[in-house]
Amino acid sequence: MSEITAEQVAHLANLARIDLSPEEITRLTAELGQIVDSVAKVAEVATPEVPATSHPMPLTNVFRADVVVPSLSVEEALSGSTDRDGDKFRVPAILDEE
């Protein structure tokens, strides 16, 4: 078992400005202890001969072809707008800036 104590969890919660009940501190102490133990197990087998991986299975990005297709005209796009400014949508200001 790891060396994580309830006092350490309470101290970290205080630093993070998180108000934890005594039950939550007890539960988190056990959970953080398991996490530390799991990381220690991984550290035991992580040697220079074992390459680092970011994912257990190889990943590839799937891209679609970038093809120009017909789309809405400006008039069609703005037809449902309540307000417009030329070829643009006009929306209420959300910041006190102009």
Side-chain angles (χ1 to χ4, degrees), residues 14-98:
N14 184 46
L15 290 175
R17 307 281 196 269
I18 301 172
D19 187 22
L20 295 177
S21 69
E23 295 82 21
E24 291 172 318
I25 291 174
T26 302
R27 182 176 50 84
L28 287 172
T29 300
E31 290 177 5
L32 288 172
Q34 288 176 341
I35 292 169
V36 170
D37 291 342
S38 296
V39 170
K41 284 181 187 178
V42 171
E44 289 174 9
V45 297
T47 64
E49 297 83 35
V50 178
T53 58
S54 63
H55 198 276
M57 313 248 326
L59 298 177
T60 56
N61 285 331
V62 179
F63 296 103
R64 64 172 172 79
D66 191 12
V67 179
V68 177
V69 295
S71 61
L72 297 175
S73 68
V74 172
E75 287 305 317
E76 291 171 323
L78 294 172
S79 65
S81 173
T82 57
D83 196 8
R84 65 187 278 183
D85 182 11
D87 289 347
K88 301 175 189 77
F89 290 98
R90 174 181 230 104
V91 296
I94 59 169
L95 303 175
D96 292 330
E97 299 175 5
E98 290 190 27

